[in-house]
Amino acid sequence: MRVAVVTIFPEMFDALTEYGVTRRAFEKNIIEIKYFNPRDFTDDIHNSIDDRPYGGGPGMVMSPEPLKNAIVEAKQWINGKVKVIYLSPQGKLMKQSRIKALSEEENLIFLAGRYEGIDERIILNYVDYELSIGDYIVSGGELPAMVVLDAIIRYKPGVLGNDESVHQESFSEGIFDSPNYTRPEIFENIQVPKVLLSGDHKKIKDWRRAQAITKTKNTRPDLVRGHNNYQLS
Ligand code: 9D3
């Protein structure tokens, strides 16, 4: 999969490409990533990428022309089927099923905005999906793009070890993990639950499931099946 990122801060993506399991995915060329900086696609002497909003108001808006040029270059590099994703507070809420669908696309372009956002005509003419990572405000689209890309990478064959990837399936979606313990057996006067030391694998499995359900019901009742929960699309 080729991933093009349109951003004025490409160095931020080192957090993804230089660390942990995501780094391994780039090293193995499971994902190829390239950055397209709107700053490199400006026409004017000052390399302006933003301008004042028509109609007035606070802040600045990313100008359409440098963004368009960056997207066109990104498409040339990708040289195949591609979907363009714009990360925005106005987007559809990201969730695991959308991550999975995106992981099955051939190639992706991520558009990370700064300032108050981008000129609406870029969204109208170039964007396939407008996505948000949650109902809180961060300073730009780069961190959201990295969050979404990290989650996509975890679906790619060969990225997670076998032990980790079975966890991604069926049971793990829509329910919390059960609590984890490792040595020592007593830490700050708290004993590891005896059942985990019993060696009775059936009992351990049942206990873990019960713990997971109780914790999910208490913290996120909206996730528990049949618990006043209707499935949205
Ligand atoms: C909604 C707030 N806007 C009006 C006051 C200003 C504004 C703040 C921050 C506009 C854009 C941004 C930058 N945020 C993103 O680009 C962004 C984002 C987010 O802030 N929260 C959740 N998901 C996303 S995806 C992209």
Side-chain angles (χ1 to χ4, degrees):
M1 173 184 256
R2 283 190 164 182
V3 173
V5 185
V6 175
T7 172
I8 62 167
F9 296 131
E11 295 85 358
M12 285 183 73
F13 288 80
D14 290 357
L16 199 66
T17 59
E18 298 298 321
Y19 300 92
V21 291
T22 51
R23 176 185 182 143
R24 282 217 314 270
F26 292 104
E27 283 171 353
K28 291 182 177 177
N29 288 319
I30 294 168
I31 308 282
E32 278 186 278
I33 194 163
K34 193 170 171 176
Y35 308 103
F36 297 84
N37 190 336
R39 192 79 69 186
D40 299 334
F41 300 98
T42 50
D43 291 346
D44 68 313
I45 188 80
H46 295 108
N47 295 144
S48 313
I49 51 157
D50 62 338
D51 207 338
R52 297 154 66 188
Y54 276 118
M60 300 290 271
V61 174
M62 290 184 86
S63 304
E65 201 69 34
L67 286 172
K68 178 232 173 110
N69 295 340
I71 293 165
V72 167
E73 285 277 320
K75 284 184 173 174
Q76 279 171 15
W77 172 67
I78 281 170
N79 191 30
K81 196 183 164 211
V82 66
K83 289 285 193 289
V84 178
I85 297 164
Y86 172 46
L87 288 311
S88 131
Q90 283 75 48
K92 286 202 179 193
L93 247 198
M94 214 47 213
K95 53 179 181 177
Q96 195 66 23
S97 60
R98 289 200 179 103
I99 294 288
K100 183 168 190 291
L102 290 178
S103 77
E104 289 162 5
E105 293 288 342
E106 288 187 33
N107 306 288
L108 297 170
I109 297 175
F110 287 95
L111 193 46
R114 284 274 152 175
Y115 318 111
E116 296 308 300
I118 69 175
D119 190 289
E120 186 69 14
R121 291 162 294 184
I122 292 295
I123 303 174
L124 293 171
N125 283 359
Y126 295 95
V127 170
D128 296 300
Y129 305 114
E130 191 174 352
L131 301 176
S132 162
I133 60 161
D135 295 335
Y136 46 86
I137 299 300
V138 298
S139 303
E142 285 82 4
L143 286 169
M146 281 187 262
V147 166
V148 170
L149 191 46
D150 182 301
I152 289 170
I153 289 168
R154 296 173 61 79
Y155 270 105
K156 291 290 177 184
V159 171
L160 299 184
N162 277 344
D163 282 12
E164 302 164 282
S165 51
V166 287
H167 216 70
Q168 189 101 355
E169 293 167 9
S170 61
F171 186 63
S172 65
E173 203 166 311
I175 195 167
F176 286 167
D177 286 349
S178 54
N180 297 307
Y181 294 89
T182 187
R183 293 192 301 172
E185 207 181 303
I186 299 170
F187 172 75
E188 295 190 348
N189 224 25
I190 303 174
Q191 160 79 52
V192 173
K194 285 290 183 200
V195 59
L196 297 178
L197 312 174
S198 69
D200 184 337
H201 299 298
K202 158 85 171 124
K203 239 177 102 179
I204 291 169
K205 191 165 176 254
D206 291 347
W207 179 85
R208 282 181 168 159
R209 188 178 193 91
Q211 288 284 310
I213 291 168
T214 303
K215 174 77 176 172
T216 310
K217 270 184 180 164
N218 287 330
T219 310
R220 291 289 306 277
D222 56 302
L223 292 181
V224 179
R225 252 198 313 264
H227 200 275
N228 184 29
N229 165 22
Y230 49 93
Q231 205 71 306
L232 296 166
S233 80

Coordinates of all heavy atoms in Angstrom, one line a residue, residues 101-149:
A101 N -12.0 -1.2 6.8 CA -12.4 -1.0 5.4 C -11.3 -0.2 4.7 O -10.9 -0.5 3.6 CB -13.7 -0.2 5.4
L102 N -10.7 0.8 5.4 CA -9.6 1.6 4.8 C -8.3 0.7 4.6 O -7.6 0.9 3.6 CB -9.2 2.8 5.7 CG -10.3 3.9 5.7 CD1 -9.8 5.0 6.7 CD2 -10.5 4.5 4.4
S103 N -8.1 -0.2 5.5 CA -6.9 -1.1 5.4 C -7.0 -2.0 4.1 O -6.0 -2.5 3.7 CB -6.8 -2.0 6.6 OG -7.7 -3.1 6.6
E104 N -8.2 -2.1 3.6 CA -8.4 -3.0 2.4 C -8.4 -2.1 1.1 O -8.5 -2.7 0.0 CB -9.8 -3.7 2.5 CG -9.6 -4.8 3.6 CD -11.0 -5.4 4.2 OE1 -12.0 -4.9 3.7 OE2 -10.9 -6.2 5.1
E105 N -8.2 -0.8 1.2 CA -8.0 0.0 0.0 C -6.6 -0.2 -0.6 O -5.7 -0.6 0.2 CB -8.2 1.5 0.4 CG -9.6 1.9 0.8 CD -10.6 1.9 -0.4 OE1 -10.2 2.0 -1.5 OE2 -11.8 1.9 -0.1
E106 N -6.5 0.1 -1.9 CA -5.2 -0.2 -2.5 C -4.1 0.9 -2.0 O -3.0 0.5 -1.6 CB -5.3 -0.1 -4.0 CG -6.0 -1.3 -4.6 CD -6.0 -1.4 -6.1 OE1 -5.0 -0.9 -6.7 OE2 -7.0 -1.8 -6.6
N107 N -4.5 2.1 -2.1 CA -3.6 3.2 -1.7 C -4.4 4.3 -1.0 O -5.6 4.5 -1.3 CB -2.9 3.8 -2.9 CG -2.2 2.7 -3.7 OD1 -1.2 2.2 -3.3 ND2 -2.7 2.4 -4.9
L108 N -3.8 5.2 -0.2 CA -4.5 6.3 0.4 C -3.7 7.6 0.4 O -2.4 7.6 0.4 CB -4.7 5.9 1.9 CG -5.6 4.7 2.2 CD1 -5.5 4.3 3.7 CD2 -7.0 4.9 1.8
I109 N -4.4 8.7 0.3 CA -3.8 10.0 0.5 C -4.5 10.6 1.8 O -5.7 10.7 1.9 CB -4.0 10.9 -0.7 CG1 -3.3 10.4 -1.9 CG2 -3.6 12.3 -0.4 CD1 -3.6 11.1 -3.2
F110 N -3.6 11.0 2.7 CA -4.1 11.7 3.9 C -3.8 13.2 3.8 O -2.7 13.6 3.5 CB -3.4 11.2 5.2 CG -3.9 9.8 5.6 CD1 -3.2 8.7 5.2 CD2 -5.0 9.7 6.4 CE1 -3.6 7.4 5.6 CE2 -5.4 8.4 6.8 CZ -4.7 7.3 6.4
L111 N -4.9 14.0 4.0 CA -4.8 15.4 3.9 C -4.9 15.9 5.4 O -5.9 15.8 6.0 CB -5.9 15.9 3.1 CG -6.0 17.3 2.5 CD1 -4.7 17.7 2.0 CD2 -7.1 17.3 1.4
A112 N -3.8 16.5 5.9 CA -3.7 17.0 7.3 C -3.8 18.5 7.2 O -2.9 19.2 6.7 CB -2.5 16.5 8.0
G113 N -4.8 19.1 7.8 CA -5.0 20.5 7.8 C -4.4 21.2 9.0 O -4.2 20.6 10.0
R114 N -4.2 22.5 8.9 CA -3.7 23.4 10.0 C -4.6 24.6 10.0 O -5.5 24.7 9.1 CB -2.3 23.8 9.8 CG -1.3 22.6 10.2 CD -1.0 22.6 11.7 NE -0.7 21.3 12.2 CZ -0.3 21.1 13.5 NH1 -0.2 22.1 14.3 NH2 -0.1 19.9 13.9
Y115 N -4.4 25.5 10.9 CA -5.2 26.7 11.0 C -6.7 26.4 11.2 O -7.0 25.4 11.9 CB -5.0 27.6 9.8 CG -3.5 27.7 9.4 CD1 -3.1 27.2 8.2 CD2 -2.6 28.3 10.2 CE1 -1.7 27.2 7.8 CE2 -1.3 28.4 9.8 CZ -0.8 27.8 8.6 OH 0.5 27.9 8.3
E116 N -7.6 27.2 10.6 CA -9.0 26.9 10.9 C -9.6 25.8 10.0 O -10.7 25.3 10.1 CB -9.9 28.2 10.7 CG -9.5 29.3 11.7 CD -9.6 28.8 13.1 OE1 -10.7 28.3 13.6 OE2 -8.6 28.9 13.8
G117 N -8.8 25.4 9.0 CA -9.2 24.3 8.1 C -8.8 24.7 6.7 O -8.0 25.6 6.4
I118 N -9.3 23.9 5.7 CA -9.0 24.1 4.3 C -10.1 24.7 3.5 O -11.3 24.6 3.9 CB -8.5 22.8 3.7 CG1 -9.6 21.8 3.5 CG2 -7.4 22.1 4.5 CD1 -9.2 20.5 2.8
D119 N -9.8 25.3 2.4 CA -10.8 25.8 1.5 C -11.8 24.7 1.1 O -11.4 23.6 0.7 CB -10.2 26.4 0.2 CG -11.1 27.2 -0.6 OD1 -12.0 26.5 -1.3 OD2 -11.0 28.4 -0.7
E120 N -13.1 25.0 1.2 CA -14.2 24.0 1.0 C -14.1 23.3 -0.4 O -14.5 22.2 -0.5 CB -15.6 24.7 1.3 CG -16.7 23.7 1.2 CD -16.8 22.8 2.4 OE1 -16.1 23.0 3.4 OE2 -17.6 21.8 2.3
R121 N -13.6 24.1 -1.3 CA -13.6 23.5 -2.7 C -12.7 22.4 -2.9 O -12.9 21.5 -3.8 CB -13.4 24.7 -3.7 CG -14.6 25.6 -3.7 CD -14.2 27.0 -4.3 NE -13.3 27.7 -3.5 CZ -12.9 29.0 -3.8 NH1 -13.4 29.6 -4.8 NH2 -12.0 29.6 -3.0
I122 N -11.7 22.3 -2.0 CA -10.8 21.1 -2.0 C -11.6 19.9 -1.5 O -11.5 18.8 -2.1 CB -9.5 21.3 -1.2 CG1 -8.6 22.4 -1.8 CG2 -8.8 20.0 -0.9 CD1 -8.0 21.9 -3.1
I123 N -12.4 20.1 -0.5 CA -13.2 19.0 0.0 C -14.2 18.5 -1.1 O -14.4 17.3 -1.3 CB -14.0 19.4 1.3 CG1 -13.0 19.9 2.4 CG2 -14.9 18.3 1.8 CD1 -13.6 20.5 3.6
L124 N -14.9 19.5 -1.7 CA -15.9 19.2 -2.8 C -15.3 18.4 -3.9 O -15.9 17.5 -4.4 CB -16.5 20.5 -3.3 CG -17.4 21.2 -2.2 CD1 -17.8 22.6 -2.8 CD2 -18.6 20.4 -1.9
N125 N -14.1 18.8 -4.4 CA -13.5 18.3 -5.6 C -12.5 17.2 -5.5 O -12.2 16.4 -6.4 CB -12.9 19.4 -6.5 CG -14.0 20.2 -7.2 OD1 -15.2 20.0 -7.0 ND2 -13.5 21.2 -7.9
Y126 N -11.9 17.0 -4.3 CA -10.8 16.1 -4.2 C -10.9 15.1 -3.0 O -10.1 14.1 -3.0 CB -9.4 16.9 -4.0 CG -9.1 17.6 -5.2 CD1 -9.4 19.0 -5.4 CD2 -8.4 17.0 -6.3 CE1 -9.1 19.7 -6.5 CE2 -8.1 17.7 -7.5 CZ -8.5 19.1 -7.6 OH -8.2 19.8 -8.7
V127 N -11.8 15.3 -2.1 CA -11.8 14.5 -0.9 C -12.9 13.4 -1.0 O -14.1 13.7 -1.4 CB -12.1 15.3 0.4 CG1 -12.3 14.5 1.6 CG2 -10.8 16.2 0.6
D128 N -12.5 12.1 -0.7 CA -13.5 11.0 -0.7 C -14.1 10.9 0.7 O -15.3 10.6 0.8 CB -12.8 9.7 -1.1 CG -12.3 9.8 -2.5 OD1 -13.2 10.0 -3.4 OD2 -11.1 9.7 -2.8
Y129 N -13.3 10.9 1.8 CA -13.8 10.7 3.1 C -13.3 11.8 4.0 O -12.1 12.0 4.1 CB -13.4 9.3 3.7 CG -13.8 8.2 2.9 CD1 -12.8 7.4 2.3 CD2 -15.1 7.8 2.7 CE1 -13.1 6.3 1.5 CE2 -15.4 6.7 1.9 CZ -14.4 5.9 1.3 OH -14.7 4.8 0.5
E130 N -14.2 12.4 4.8 CA -13.8 13.4 5.8 C -14.0 12.7 7.2 O -15.1 12.3 7.6 CB -14.7 14.6 5.7 CG -14.2 15.8 6.5 CD -15.0 17.1 6.3 OE1 -15.9 17.1 5.3 OE2 -14.8 18.0 7.0
L131 N -12.9 12.5 8.0 CA -12.9 11.7 9.2 C -12.4 12.5 10.4 O -11.4 13.2 10.3 CB -12.0 10.5 9.0 CG -12.4 9.5 7.9 CD1 -11.3 8.4 7.8 CD2 -13.8 8.9 8.1
S132 N -13.0 12.3 11.5 CA -12.6 12.8 12.8 C -12.2 11.7 13.7 O -12.7 10.5 13.6 CB -13.8 13.5 13.5 OG -13.6 13.7 14.9
I133 N -11.3 11.9 14.6 CA -10.9 10.9 15.6 C -11.6 11.0 16.9 O -11.3 10.2 17.8 CB -9.3 10.8 15.8 CG1 -8.8 12.1 16.3 CG2 -8.6 10.4 14.5 CD1 -7.4 11.9 17.0
G134 N -12.5 12.0 17.1 CA -13.2 12.1 18.3 C -13.6 13.5 18.6 O -13.1 14.5 18.0
D135 N -14.5 13.7 19.6 CA -15.1 15.0 19.9 C -14.3 15.7 20.9 O -14.7 16.0 22.0 CB -16.6 14.8 20.4 CG -17.4 14.2 19.3 OD1 -17.1 14.4 18.1 OD2 -18.5 13.5 19.6
Y136 N -13.1 16.1 20.5 CA -12.2 17.0 21.2 C -11.3 17.6 20.2 O -11.2 17.1 19.1 CB -11.4 16.2 22.2 CG -10.8 14.9 21.6 CD1 -9.6 14.9 21.0 CD2 -11.5 13.7 21.7 CE1 -9.0 13.8 20.4 CE2 -11.0 12.6 21.1 CZ -9.8 12.6 20.4 OH -9.3 11.5 19.8
I137 N -10.7 18.7 20.6 CA -9.9 19.5 19.6 C -8.4 19.3 19.7 O -7.9 19.5 20.8 CB -10.3 21.0 19.7 CG1 -11.8 21.2 19.4 CG2 -9.4 21.9 18.7 CD1 -12.3 20.8 18.0
V138 N -7.8 19.0 18.7 CA -6.3 19.0 18.6 C -5.9 20.1 17.6 O -6.7 20.7 17.0 CB -5.7 17.6 18.3 CG1 -6.1 16.6 19.3 CG2 -6.2 17.2 16.9
S139 N -4.6 20.3 17.5 CA -4.1 21.5 16.8 C -4.0 21.4 15.3 O -3.7 22.4 14.6 CB -2.7 21.9 17.4 OG -2.9 22.1 18.8
G140 N -4.1 20.2 14.8 CA -4.0 20.0 13.3 C -4.3 18.6 12.9 O -4.6 17.7 13.8
G141 N -4.3 18.3 11.7 CA -4.7 16.9 11.2 C -3.6 15.9 11.3 O -3.8 14.7 11.0
E142 N -2.3 16.3 11.6 CA -1.2 15.4 11.6 C -1.4 14.2 12.6 O -1.2 13.0 12.2 CB 0.1 16.1 11.7 CG 0.6 16.8 10.5 CD 0.0 18.2 10.4 OE1 -0.8 18.6 11.3 OE2 0.2 18.9 9.3
L143 N -1.6 14.6 13.9 CA -1.8 13.5 14.9 C -3.0 12.6 14.5 O -2.8 11.4 14.6 CB -1.9 14.1 16.3 CG -0.6 14.7 16.9 CD1 -0.8 15.5 18.1 CD2 0.4 13.5 17.2
P144 N -4.1 13.2 14.2 CA -5.2 12.3 13.8 C -4.8 11.4 12.6 O -5.2 10.2 12.6 CB -6.3 13.3 13.4 CG -6.1 14.5 14.3 CD -4.6 14.6 14.4
A145 N -4.1 11.9 11.6 CA -3.7 11.1 10.4 C -2.8 9.9 10.9 O -2.9 8.8 10.5 CB -2.9 11.9 9.4
M146 N -1.9 10.2 11.9 CA -1.0 9.2 12.4 C -1.8 8.1 13.2 O -1.5 7.0 13.2 CB 0.0 9.8 13.3 CG 1.2 10.4 12.5 SD 2.5 10.9 13.6 CE 2.1 12.6 13.7
V147 N -2.8 8.6 14.0 CA -3.7 7.7 14.7 C -4.4 6.7 13.8 O -4.3 5.5 14.0 CB -4.7 8.4 15.6 CG1 -5.8 7.5 16.1 CG2 -4.0 9.2 16.7
V148 N -5.0 7.3 12.7 CA -5.7 6.4 11.8 C -4.8 5.5 11.0 O -5.0 4.3 10.8 CB -6.5 7.3 10.8 CG1 -7.1 6.5 9.6 CG2 -7.6 8.1 11.5
L149 N -3.6 6.0 10.6 CA -2.6 5.2 9.9 C -2.1 4.1 10.7 O -1.9 3.0 10.3 CB -1.5 6.1 9.3 CG -0.6 5.5 8.3 CD1 -1.3 4.8 7.2 CD2 0.3 6.7 7.7

